[in-house]
Amino acid sequence: MEPTDDTVHEDLSRILAAWDNPEQAVLPMFHYFMERDRHISPEALEHIGRLTKVSQSELLGIGTFYQYFSFHVEGQHTVRVCLTTPCIFCGGKGLLEAVQKELGVGLDETTADGQFTVKPAQCVGQCIDAPVFQVDSDVYPRATPDQVAGLLARYRQGTAQPQEPVPFGPPIANAPTVFTGLSEETTLWIGRYESRDGYRALREVLSARDPERVIREVEASGLAGRGGGAFATSKKLQAVQKNRKPHYIVANADEGEPGTFKDRYIMERDPHAFIEGMILAAYAIDAEAGYIYLREEYPHSYAILNKALDETRSRGFLGRDIFGTGWTFNIRVYRGGGAYICGEDSSLLNSLEGKRGIPRNKPPRLSDVGLWKSPTDVQNVETLAAIPPIMRNGGPWYRALGDDKSAGTKLFCLSGHINRPGLYEVPLGMTLREVIEDLGRGIPGGRALKAVLPAGSAGSMLYPPHLDLNLDYPSVRQAGSILGAASLIVMDDSVCMVDLAYWMSGFFHHESCGQCTPCRDGTEDIHEVLQRVVMGKGEPGHLDFVKSLGEYMKTASICGLGTTAPNVPLSSIQHFEEEWREHIVDHRCRAGVCPMTLRKIVDFPIRRSRGLVAELPQFHTHQP
């Protein structure tokens, strides 16, 4: 069936009608062809252009920005192996090698029979079940190399059954106070959610016609953004509320930080808490429409959210003239295309408008000039899901759960070298020692703690002297790091800090949007220098090069990606300079992790714009 036939035209016309303007329909149309044909052909691109009036060059510019869209024929099945830190620590390299050995291809290559294409994954939110790989939309946690052949054979033979959209991973690992729905084994659908006081707060606020009550309680609670920024939620609501209309609310569900999976837990286990919180926030600012921007890597979350939204509409909480208030409001899920940068709020809004997901300059703030240049409140999933219990129990109740520096609780994602990885609800102010030793039950095998990444790949590391540090936003900032989304990746003394910096640099270079020179070229240069170091080709001047370039990136980059990308290399040099000098001067890796020789290694596919060390080989198993 050709992409210009009547059926495709009808399908694309429905997609076009479902979104607010033709440009916003571009990404959904890309998804349509990826699901239908496994790639976007020139004919498909022409068809999209005719309907949306977007030029071919602009469509290609948009589509090639996102890693999940392909404009050439690929395999019938896409295999993605997670190559971010928790999975690397727990066997991700061996898993990738097993996949490539079984299929005989390297990254971004397709098997000769056209069955499989192998690609890297930049965290799929299954960090406590590492290592993980995906085949199409099916997720395989805790995968081992000896399982690979059998799993892939099922897809080759056509006997694999698509997975049902269910929550992955065990329930929350401790007893929650705010996020009680995360204790559930299965999704808390609307019947059970309402039986546990769900939507009670929304009914009360709508019945009283009192949108100001939401802002009052949120302000009293001290709730701050849980996506990493920790900006006061009430101030963001007030800033949008006082501005001209129309107003929009957008949920940032692009949870791409390696080691982070808290939002996925909420969306898959307790979606209605999130949805109720979003409606309450939208009513407080009199929003015209709401959007959930969801990362492509969460196919189960996508299906569960859409079903939950249908349930919400059936109860009359979404739609026209909700509860006779005269307020019309709806929420739609918008899928991204695989871009870490879209976790940054302004990049997300550009993507939601159907553009490349590149950051905007600030000011103006998004509360003044946001979605379609209108005042927009962008909130994290965890932030919104905290609002219903705050409304039911009162703002002072929530504030008292934290310490005197940060109010409330925070969902902590604990992964890496830890006996009890999992999701924990932690009162802000609990010490790092309590989280690692009491909740996580310490380091496996009696090994010693070497360092902790408190904010996934974005923050500077914490070390054993920080064990008694209070985990609240000001205290962690004072210690020289950031709490961010509280994705704690624990590292024991087997970790090579140069190898860690190398993997982090590869991730950031792969994910840089390329808009600004400090980030685009800086991430490339640092990664290529580190590639030389781990291959035993380091030079004494490389240390000063990484330091000076890293500091430049931190001050000159447009957005948080460029300013945080050098954090791990810089903090590891500061605290483990002896390891770096062993690699550079003695050409020795004490941990035995780095190859220290010029040979093919596992790596992210690198986009070289200049190529400082383009002669270094990439990992490719079927070559001699």
Side-chain angles (χ1 to χ4, degrees), residues 279-327:
I279 300 172
L280 283 163
Y283 186 55
I285 64 172
D286 193 16
E288 178 174 288
Y291 301 92
I292 300 170
Y293 186 96
L294 179 69
R295 65 193 306 245
E296 167 64 22
E297 291 87 343
Y298 283 0
H300 288 237
S301 300
Y302 180 67
I304 289 169
L305 279 176
N306 277 312
K307 179 179 176 180
L309 286 168
D310 286 342
E311 291 183 325
T312 308
R313 293 185 192 99
S314 71
R315 292 287 206 276
F317 296 120
L318 290 172
R320 298 189 63 82
D321 190 23
I322 300 172
F323 276 62
T325 59
W327 180 53

Side-chain angles (χ1 to χ4, degrees), residues 173-283:
N174 65 340
T177 303
V178 177
F179 300 95
T180 55
L182 301 185
S183 297
E184 298 289 319
E185 288 278 355
T186 58
T187 303
L188 199 62
W189 297 114
I190 198 165
R192 286 196 299 145
Y193 180 71
E194 287 188 305
S195 72
R196 299 169 55 162
D197 273 348
Y199 288 109
R200 189 191 85 191
L202 181 60
R203 288 179 185 273
E204 291 174 353
V205 168
L206 292 175
S207 298
R209 309 290 197 273
D210 189 8
E212 290 291 338
R213 181 189 160 197
V214 178
I215 295 178
R216 289 195 304 270
E217 292 294 351
V218 170
E219 185 174 21
S221 74
L223 177 66
R226 296 308 194 223
F231 190 79
T233 304
S234 61
K235 289 184 179 179
K236 292 177 73 172
L237 292 171
Q238 289 166 339
V240 174
Q241 182 196 46
K242 71 181 183 181
N243 265 323
R244 70 196 186 286
K245 293 184 179 179
H247 299 161
Y248 295 99
I249 186 166
V250 177
N252 185 341
D254 194 70
E255 184 179 54
E257 191 66 53
T260 313
F261 46 89
K262 63 186 181 61
D263 293 344
R264 180 182 64 79
Y265 261 68
I266 293 170
M267 292 184 288
E268 293 178 2
R269 277 194 161 75
D270 199 8
H272 285 287
F274 163 42
I275 293 169
E276 182 182 9
M278 191 170 179
I279 300 172
L280 283 163
Y283 186 55

Side-chain angles (χ1 to χ4, degrees), residues 35 53 75 80-81 122 198 320 325 396 518 526 558 568 578 580 606:
E35 292 165 6
K53 309 302 181 187
R80 297 181 187 271
V81 181
Q122 286 70 47
R320 298 189 63 82
T325 59
I526 287 179
I558 287 178
V568 169
E578 183 182 351
W580 284 77
I606 301 303

Side-chain angles (χ1 to χ4, degrees), residues 236-568:
K236 292 177 73 172
L237 292 171
Q238 289 166 339
V240 174
Q241 182 196 46
K242 71 181 183 181
N243 265 323
R244 70 196 186 286
K245 293 184 179 179
H247 299 161
Y248 295 99
I249 186 166
V250 177
N252 185 341
D254 194 70
E255 184 179 54
E257 191 66 53
T260 313
F261 46 89
K262 63 186 181 61
D263 293 344
R264 180 182 64 79
Y265 261 68
I266 293 170
M267 292 184 288
E268 293 178 2
R269 277 194 161 75
D270 199 8
H272 285 287
F274 163 42
I275 293 169
E276 182 182 9
M278 191 170 179
I279 300 172
L280 283 163
Y283 186 55
I285 64 172
D286 193 16
E288 178 174 288
Y291 301 92
I292 300 170
Y293 186 96
L294 179 69
R295 65 193 306 245
E296 167 64 22
E297 291 87 343
Y298 283 0
H300 288 237
S301 300
Y302 180 67
I304 289 169
L305 279 176
N306 277 312
K307 179 179 176 180
L309 286 168
D310 286 342
E311 291 183 325
T312 308
R313 293 185 192 99
S314 71
R315 292 287 206 276
F317 296 120
L318 290 172
R320 298 189 63 82
D321 190 23
I322 300 172
F323 276 62
T325 59
W327 180 53
T328 296
F329 178 72
N330 203 356
I331 297 173
R332 286 173 285 177
V333 183
Y334 194 85
R335 280 191 293 170
Y340 171 77
I341 187 63
C342 287
E344 194 274 335
D345 286 350
S346 67
S347 303
L348 182 155
L349 293 188
N350 277 339
S351 185
L352 183 54
E353 291 177 358
K355 304 171 184 174
R356 294 164 64 91
I358 59 176
R360 301 177 184 179
N361 289 323
K362 297 177 185 177
R365 294 176 299 181
L366 302 182
S367 56
D368 298 321
V369 182
L371 187 65
W372 297 306
K373 300 182 179 180
S374 298
T376 303
D377 182 34
V378 183
Q379 299 285 1
N380 176 257
V381 171
E382 181 186 353
T383 312
L384 293 168
I387 292 177
I390 287 172
M391 297 299 296
R392 291 195 297 267
N393 297 291
W397 164 82
Y398 182 84
R399 182 181 287 275
L401 298 176
D403 65 6
D404 58 350
K405 296 180 181 178
S406 296
T409 67
K410 178 80 183 71
L411 292 175
F412 277 63
C413 307
L414 193 57
S415 66
H417 297 140
I418 192 76
N419 277 315
R420 196 184 181 209
L423 184 69
Y424 295 85
E425 184 177 338
V426 175
L428 285 168
M430 181 179 280
T431 66
L432 180 61
R433 185 187 303 277
E434 290 174 301
V435 172
I436 292 176
E437 296 180 0
D438 297 343
L439 297 182
R441 297 178 183 170
I443 313 295
R447 301 198 73 113
L449 174 68
K450 189 166 187 176
V452 178
L453 286 163
S457 60
S460 298
M461 290 181 281
L462 300 175
Y463 309 95
H466 291 122
L467 277 171
D468 294 313
L469 175 71
N470 289 343
L471 294 176
D472 55 56
Y473 290 96
S475 298
V476 176
R477 192 179 307 115
Q478 189 174 5
S481 187
I482 56 174
L483 186 57
S487 43
L488 268 64
I489 304 173
V490 181
M491 295 172 280
D492 67 24
D493 55 7
S494 69
V495 172
C496 170
M497 285 296 156
V498 181
D499 179 66
L500 173 70
Y502 166 69
W503 277 98
M504 290 294 189
S505 68
F507 170 81
F508 278 113
H509 174 48
H510 190 269
E511 295 301 316
S512 172
C513 78
Q515 179 182 197
C516 73
T517 302
C519 179
R520 180 188 64 245
D521 292 352
T523 55
E524 177 181 4
D525 289 349
I526 287 179
H527 182 64
E528 291 189 339
V529 165
L530 290 182
Q531 192 177 56
R532 292 193 70 88
V533 172
V534 301
M535 286 186 170
K537 300 296 180 181
E539 301 170 7
H542 283 159
L543 269 182
D544 288 336
F545 177 82
V546 172
K547 289 179 185 177
S548 61
L549 181 54
E551 291 300 334
Y552 170 65
M553 291 171 60
K554 287 166 72 73
T555 57
S557 298
I558 287 178
C559 81
L561 190 154
T563 59
T564 60
N567 278 344
V568 169

